[in-house]
Amino acid sequence: VVHGRLDTVTVRQVCCMPPNMRIMWRTAKKDVDHELAIPDQTVYLKTVQFEPVEREYYQRQLEDCAEDLCQVIEKRKLKNVTIRSLDRFTTASLMRPLLALRQACDHPQAVRTGSWSLSLKQNQEVLSMDEVLLQLSAKASKECTEANQAQIVAVNGIAAMQAIQEQWKRSAETYASSLKLAEDRARIVATDTVLKLHATHNLLQVLKLCGDDRPVGVATDSDLSEQEGVLRTHYVQRYEDSVQSAVRNLKHEGGQAHAKQVQAYPTWFLLLLCELERVGAERYVTSKCLNAVIQDRQAYPVGFADIASLREFLCTRLEGIEVAHRNVHDALLPLLQATSAEIVMEARECHLRPHHPEDQEAVRRCRFCRCDDLLSIYESELYDRHAALRWL
């Protein structure tokens, strides 16, 4: 390849080249720039202001970007390191958060990372700014709710620690401040009913231990008792409504299933197997059924080889499903009745009381947990094809 102008190339440069080398002329742009008549490049810079929604979204991304950069710098110890001395992987990890800021300048849905990502999914239309505002408002509302819950849980925890140390007056004041926080923020963010019930109930118990040293500004015992009853009723009623709805759905679906149930269903496949044996399709059907049940022949041995063993296998499987169904039915039947205090106490001790990891017997002991275990067994027997391998 020969560079430069034609009049500057000497004959010696050409003659010194090997005879088998082909010559390709290459002219630099600067040498023929005056012949191209290309106009000078002009750059127009126009500053576009963010709309209010875009500005808010960009500010959120800027905060996330600054936090991510600080984490990378702290993790890799880059406080006193110049950018030129970094390798390309470290540089990419530093520049990655800045990409979200560049994408946020185009459209919020162009951002694919971060807690405020509204990335455009497949077959999804581009959102307008009003729709983006609705999604941002929903996410902000969720964050506020979670932050409020965390603060009230922390305040209740501090009050509980004070009660453990027998600082009854300070504990009562802390529980009262927790209820005050939930009341002041009621118009902005909702507080979980169980948190307010927890604080109200414990405040009543602590006030009884305060005696004459009762804190000033706390509601009377009668008002707190009434408030606790209202919260308890509201909390329990919500779950009772869901249970009643589930019972109605169960009765409806159970009635439909009973209407569609075929009587003496275990006999239909026996008749089918007898007919297949009569027409001479025994080996074909046996191999097909075996391939459907056993996917890995090396891990599991062959379970049946003729119609008789296949018939025994199917009967045994159906008997196992019937046993699992009967166990679930017998366990669920008492729960359909009115909830007793004993059941509530069992569920509270099982789910709300912390258990030591080594105490395996106390982890799942209430009736609801036992029903859940039986349902899992029944579903595995009914739907899981690998359950069939245990019967071979």
Side-chain angles (χ1 to χ4, degrees):
V1 180
V2 181
H3 298 271
R5 297 175 58 87
L6 184 60
D7 54 1
T8 62
V9 180
T10 62
V11 177
R12 179 171 180 164
Q13 289 177 327
V14 178
C15 294
C16 291
M17 294 181 181
N20 59 346
M21 179 179 291
R22 296 183 180 182
I23 301 176
M24 182 183 69
W25 182 258
R26 181 175 179 179
T27 304
K29 181 180 178 181
K30 64 180 181 178
D31 298 327
V32 294
D33 192 19
H34 63 283
E35 301 176 7
L36 298 179
I38 299 178
D40 296 336
Q41 184 177 1
T42 305
V43 178
Y44 295 95
L45 181 62
K46 182 175 179 59
T47 304
V48 180
Q49 300 296 332
F50 281 137
E51 294 183 4
V53 178
E54 295 175 327
R55 186 181 301 109
E56 176 65 22
Y57 185 81
Y58 185 85
Q59 186 64 30
R60 293 280 186 172
Q61 288 295 333
L62 181 61
E63 295 174 0
D64 291 348
C65 176
E67 184 178 355
D68 293 342
L69 282 176
C70 291
Q71 291 178 358
V72 174
I73 293 174
E74 185 68 24
K75 180 179 180 180
R76 298 179 180 270
K77 300 179 181 180
L78 304 177
K79 292 183 178 180
N80 300 321
V81 179
T82 60
I83 297 181
R84 292 184 178 180
S85 62
L86 300 177
D87 58 274
R88 59 192 183 104
F89 298 104
T90 306
T91 306
S93 63
L94 288 173
M95 296 296 106
R96 191 176 298 110
L98 298 177
L99 177 61
L101 289 179
R102 294 177 55 191
Q103 294 170 340
C105 295
D106 296 332
H107 194 275
Q109 283 183 284
V111 182
R112 299 182 179 274
T113 58
S115 59
W116 289 83
S117 174
L118 300 175
S119 58
L120 188 64
K121 299 179 181 179
Q122 188 177 6
N123 300 328
Q124 182 183 4
E125 297 181 356
V126 179
L127 300 178
S128 63
M129 286 297 110
D130 293 338
E131 294 171 334
V132 171
L133 178 60
L134 291 177
Q135 292 202 14
L136 294 180
S137 300
K139 287 192 174 185
S141 177
K142 182 180 179 181
E143 284 189 351
C144 291
T145 302
E146 293 175 351
N148 177 65
Q149 303 281 77
Q151 184 179 8
I152 291 181
V153 167
V155 174
N156 289 343
I158 294 173
M161 294 297 296
Q162 293 170 347
I164 292 174
Q165 298 173 1
E166 297 185 358
Q167 301 176 6
W168 310 121
K169 185 176 179 180
R170 294 184 59 186
S171 177
E173 292 174 349
T174 308
Y175 276 124
S177 65
S178 174
L179 294 175
K180 187 68 166 54
L181 283 175
E183 182 180 356
D184 294 341
R185 299 171 180 175
R187 296 183 179 181
I188 303 174
V189 60
T191 304
D192 193 3
T193 305
V194 72
L195 292 179
K196 295 188 290 186
L197 178 60
H198 167 80
T200 306
H201 176 78
N202 287 3
L203 177 58
L204 273 171
Q205 301 300 321
V206 172
L207 287 176
K208 294 178 182 179
L209 299 173
C210 287
D212 298 335
D213 193 16
R214 185 186 181 94
V216 181
V218 181
T220 61
D221 292 352
S222 58
D223 293 340
L224 290 174
S225 299
E226 182 180 357
Q227 183 180 357
E228 181 188 7
V230 172
L231 291 173
R232 189 183 301 275
T233 303
H234 174 72
Y235 180 73
V236 174
Q237 185 64 38
R238 181 175 58 182
Y239 290 97
E240 286 184 352
D241 293 341
S242 62
V243 170
Q244 294 299 327
S245 177
V247 170
R248 289 193 296 268
N249 294 334
L250 177 62
K251 290 181 179 179
H252 177 70
E253 297 296 334
Q256 290 185 347
H258 181 72
K260 297 179 180 179
Q261 186 178 10
V262 179
Q263 298 296 331
Y265 70 90
T267 60
W268 68 268
F269 66 88
L270 297 178
L271 298 176
L272 178 61
L273 291 179
C274 292
E275 183 64 22
L276 292 174
E277 187 178 9
R278 186 184 65 83
V279 298
E282 175 183 357
R283 181 175 300 178
Y284 175 78
V285 174
T286 303
S287 61
K288 283 290 184 181
C289 293
L290 184 60
N291 291 333
V293 173
I294 303 178
Q295 299 296 329
D296 191 352
R297 293 181 179 273
Q298 296 180 355
Y300 300 98
V302 177
F304 46 83
D306 53 13
I307 287 290
S309 58
L310 176 60
R311 186 185 298 111
E312 182 181 359
F313 168 76
L314 293 177
C315 292
T316 308
R317 287 284 295 124
L318 287 175
E319 288 177 2
I321 294 175
E322 278 296 314
V323 171
H325 178 268
R326 194 180 309 112
N327 292 336
V328 171
H329 179 269
D330 295 342
L332 288 176
L333 193 59
L335 298 180
L336 297 178
Q337 311 299 327
T339 305
S340 62
E342 181 183 358
I343 296 178
V344 175
M345 289 294 294
E346 286 183 0
R348 185 180 68 178
E349 292 294 328
C350 181
H351 297 276
L352 299 183
R353 302 297 183 188
H355 300 291
H356 196 274
E358 297 180 356
D359 190 7
Q360 298 294 335
E361 297 181 357
V363 175
R364 298 176 63 86
R365 62 188 181 195
C366 72
R367 304 183 188 185
F368 296 98
C369 292
R370 292 197 293 268
C371 287
D372 182 67
D373 293 338
L374 293 175
L375 278 171
S376 300
I377 295 174
Y378 177 58
E379 290 177 353
S380 66
E381 295 291 341
L382 190 60
Y383 298 111
D384 189 6
R385 66 176 180 82
H386 295 290
L389 300 173
R390 296 196 299 268
W391 297 89
L392 295 180

